[in-house]
Amino acid sequence: MPHSDCTTAADYLDAAHEMADTGRPTLARLLAEEAADRTADPDQAARILRAFSGSSLRREG
């Protein structure tokens, strides 16, 4: 699923899994972060981030 087709948390999470499955962990983490941001439940958002290792890769500013 191309990134531009993502509109919901589930879309971003599906894309994150696809990237992880194809050996793109950095992109998977970024997509997971976006999925977590779009998730209203903080516990679910935390579970999403735990499923994709690493710290935040986003640039602030």
Side-chain angles (χ1 to χ4, degrees):
M1 166 185 300
H3 182 315
S4 62
D5 290 344
C6 295
T7 58
T8 67
D11 292 336
Y12 279 96
L13 190 54
D14 288 344
H17 283 292
E18 184 177 331
M19 293 301 105
D21 292 345
T22 58
R24 299 180 188 119
T26 302
L27 184 52
R29 174 62 191 204
L30 288 170
L31 290 164
E33 289 177 11
E34 188 61 34
D37 286 350
R38 292 170 181 258
T39 300
D41 178 1
D43 292 331
Q44 179 63 24
R47 281 191 289 275
I48 290 169
L49 293 176
R50 279 195 304 271
F52 294 88
S53 63
S55 58
S56 179
L57 301 168
R58 293 181 175 177
R59 290 185 178 177
E60 297 298 323

